[in-house]
Amino acid sequence: MMYDTEMKLNHQIVHFVESQMQTLVESMAESDRGVTGVNAPYQASQHADSHAMATILTAMETSLQQYMEGLRAISCLLQKGFVSQTRGIFQTLGDDYEEMIFLSLPSQNGQLSNLHRQYLETRTDLDGLCGLSPLSRCEMRSMIRKATHINHNVFQLYPKKQALEVLRPHAGKPCLVEVAIELHKHFAYKGVLLAVLLAKVAGDEAIMRACLNYRAHLEMIDPLATKMEPQVSRSKPEYVPNPTLVASAI
């Protein structure tokens, strides 16, 4: 069955990210138990925004969990043949991806912006759901584009608008499942990068090394997973979008 064959690597990537994330969450929980003791006052005196940074780390963890849940949901839909129904979830994955990169910026440049504070307040008010206005989202994307502490070539993302166009029925004909599977693989691979980012902010070098090694492994066994060049033109080229990647993190 085509689905089982084509999705095999996708499932492996998702399983790897989930296992590393579980290990990281357990490690973070142990660190939290340690912080509540002698080291807490010292950390608070050294970092005026230590509470905000801890909240950011929790928000990043939540976003990555949502991201992985989205990948699993897409997998279930594709398995049942509901290709067009994946469009909205792919858009949500793009939003989660943007938020993870945005949230990582203070730990990399040492600055907690007003937009970060607004974001954290919004998440708290909505019990973990982000309700940023379209204007704030534009500001978030602008901040990511201008960031100098991230590798834009590594963290570039397949354009969300293009992903939605790919999965839109054309001339009354159904969407191509091959394209959706390739997009799923691309977002699964990006999940590895998000795990690297979360581990970096959490200061877990072991998880970072494991994820970076796995990323190198993926680049060797399936370069297309990292470059996002869907090989679906062999069947119906009229549905294949221009695979050019944007040179930014969104």
Side-chain angles (χ1 to χ4, degrees), residues 188-250:
Y189 167 74
K190 290 300 185 181
V192 179
L193 298 180
L194 293 182
V196 172
L197 207 57
L198 180 59
K200 181 177 181 181
V201 174
D204 194 318
E205 296 183 0
I207 298 295
M208 282 185 62
R209 285 194 299 270
C211 292
L212 290 173
N213 288 338
Y214 188 70
R215 174 185 172 225
H217 171 71
L218 289 176
E219 290 176 343
M220 289 189 294
I221 66 172
D222 191 354
L224 296 181
T226 66
K227 296 180 180 179
M228 192 51 218
E229 297 176 359
Q231 298 298 301
V232 296
S233 58
R234 58 186 180 276
S235 55
K236 296 182 180 180
E238 64 270 22
Y239 299 128
V240 181
N242 184 343
T244 305
L245 293 175
V246 292
S248 70
I250 59 175

Side-chain angles (χ1 to χ4, degrees), residues 66-86:
Q66 293 173 172
Y67 188 93
M68 302 310 296
E69 289 172 0
L71 288 176
R72 289 195 297 272
I74 290 172
S75 180
C76 292
L77 288 171
L78 293 180
Q79 188 175 28
K80 299 297 184 180
F82 299 121
V83 182
S84 61
Q85 285 82 354
T86 64

Side-chain angles (χ1 to χ4, degrees), residues 79-202:
Q79 188 175 28
K80 299 297 184 180
F82 299 121
V83 182
S84 61
Q85 285 82 354
T86 64
R87 294 175 62 244
I89 304 178
F90 274 119
Q91 182 175 18
T92 301
L93 291 182
D95 291 341
D96 291 335
Y97 189 85
E98 290 174 348
E99 290 169 15
M100 285 282 290
I101 298 175
F102 167 73
L103 288 168
S104 73
L105 297 181
S107 69
Q108 299 186 65
N109 60 22
Q111 297 179 355
L112 190 68
S113 69
N114 290 332
L115 186 58
H116 283 93
R117 298 182 189 279
Q118 176 189 345
Y119 177 93
L120 295 177
E121 291 174 359
T122 304
R123 288 190 73 106
T124 302
D125 293 341
L126 298 179
D127 296 325
L129 300 176
C130 183
L132 288 180
S133 66
L135 178 59
S136 295
R137 280 213 166 267
C138 289
E139 293 176 358
M140 175 192 296
R141 291 164 185 160
S142 176
M143 187 176 296
I144 292 174
R145 284 194 297 269
K146 296 176 182 178
T148 58
H149 295 79
I150 61 173
N151 188 331
H152 289 276
N153 291 326
V154 171
F155 284 97
Q156 60 192 355
L157 181 64
Y158 197 58
K160 287 185 296 182
K161 289 183 179 179
Q162 197 167 334
L164 296 182
E165 186 65 32
V166 168
L167 299 173
R168 180 176 290 114
H170 180 73
K173 297 181 180 180
C175 307
L176 287 179
V177 66
E178 294 93 338
V179 177
I181 289 176
E182 289 294 337
L183 279 173
H184 187 273
K185 180 188 294 182
H186 178 70
F187 277 94
Y189 167 74
K190 290 300 185 181
V192 179
L193 298 180
L194 293 182
V196 172
L197 207 57
L198 180 59
K200 181 177 181 181
V201 174

Side-chain angles (χ1 to χ4, degrees), residues 24-80:
L24 180 57
V25 169
E26 293 173 356
S27 176
M28 289 165 56
E30 292 178 358
S31 298
D32 289 342
R33 287 194 292 269
V35 168
T36 56
V38 179
N39 293 330
Y42 173 77
Q43 291 194 356
S45 65
Q46 294 296 314
H47 303 285
D49 292 318
S50 59
H51 177 71
M53 296 303 296
T55 306
I56 282 179
L57 189 58
T58 300
M60 290 183 67
E61 177 190 336
T62 300
S63 291
L64 185 52
Q65 287 175 339
Q66 293 173 172
Y67 188 93
M68 302 310 296
E69 289 172 0
L71 288 176
R72 289 195 297 272
I74 290 172
S75 180
C76 292
L77 288 171
L78 293 180
Q79 188 175 28
K80 299 297 184 180

